[in-house]
Amino acid sequence: MAEDKSMEPVSGHEVETDGIYENEWGREETLKRGDEFPYDPVMGQTEWKLVSLPLESQEQEMYRDTTANTKPRLHIERGDR
């Protein structure tokens, strides 16, 4: 019986940490926080494992594209009460 009971994130879940992820079929994707783990085009839903954190130069490139990758987070202004 395996000692490790942790579960890897699966397709459709939100990415919590910027990095390079690999699925169980060997496909690698660079994903950033807020992205959604993609489905494999052939196998469908798959698990993803963080294999590398981005280097500073890669991180700058990841955030160069300013198009929205997720819905904007809701920010509520609180008035004086």
Side-chain angles (χ1 to χ4, degrees):
M1 181 181 256
E3 294 294 321
D4 185 15
K5 302 290 184 192
S6 64
M7 294 179 61
E8 302 293 345
V10 295
S11 303
H13 289 181
E14 186 176 326
V15 175
E16 294 180 2
T17 304
D18 298 342
I20 300 169
Y21 290 83
E22 184 179 84
N23 71 6
E24 53 199 310
W25 312 109
R27 178 176 158 212
E28 286 190 352
E29 290 282 333
T30 301
L31 301 170
K32 57 186 175 183
R33 186 173 183 230
D35 285 345
E36 186 176 285
F37 285 103
Y39 287 83
D40 188 84
V42 176
M43 304 306 284
Q45 188 172 20
T46 184
E47 289 185 349
W48 291 90
K49 182 177 183 177
L50 179 64
V51 292
S52 176
L53 294 174
L55 301 173
E56 190 173 322
S57 60
Q58 291 172 316
E59 200 169 62
Q60 290 171 357
E61 185 65 33
M62 286 172 70
Y63 288 97
R64 182 167 290 157
D65 181 14
T66 58
T67 57
N69 62 343
T70 59
K71 298 175 190 170
R73 295 183 183 209
L74 182 61
H75 177 74
I76 299 174
E77 295 284 334
R78 293 192 179 226
D80 293 332
R81 290 184 186 196

